Amino acid sequence: MKDLINKGTVVDVRSPQEFAGEHFPNAINVPLEQVQQKVNEFKEMPKPIIAYCRSGNRSGMAVSMLKQAGITDAVNAGGLDDLLLKAK
């Protein structure tokens, strides 16, 4: 997972309030409800796209949306706590 994080883009799909409370270092915040509208921005981001949320549910939905839009190099990292553990 460290290699993916180092070469890709970490995206927090939680709300701006959740993101402000705590987030993964260098993550960008794109709330789930904005993922569809920002597909073209995602296409320009370094791959892979590593999405996370609180539990893995919203990030799973975000990854599905990205894959349907043709961005196949997207992974669901689960919840923030999971990602922090995997990145060690």
Side-chain angles (χ1 to χ4, degrees), residues 4 47-50 67 70-75:
L4 294 179
K47 306 296 182 286
I49 304 292
I50 301 143
K67 289 188 176 188
I71 302 169
T72 56
D73 203 357
V75 294

Side-chain angles (χ1 to χ4, degrees), residues 26-57:
N26 300 319
I28 61 167
N29 184 219
V30 180
L32 178 62
E33 48 280 350
Q34 294 177 16
V35 168
Q36 204 80 52
Q37 299 111 313
K38 297 194 175 202
V39 163
N40 287 333
E41 290 176 41
F42 279 102
K43 288 180 178 178
E44 301 301 316
M45 293 176 187
K47 306 296 182 286
I49 304 292
I50 301 143
Y52 77 90
C53 59
R54 185 181 51 76
S55 67
N57 190 30

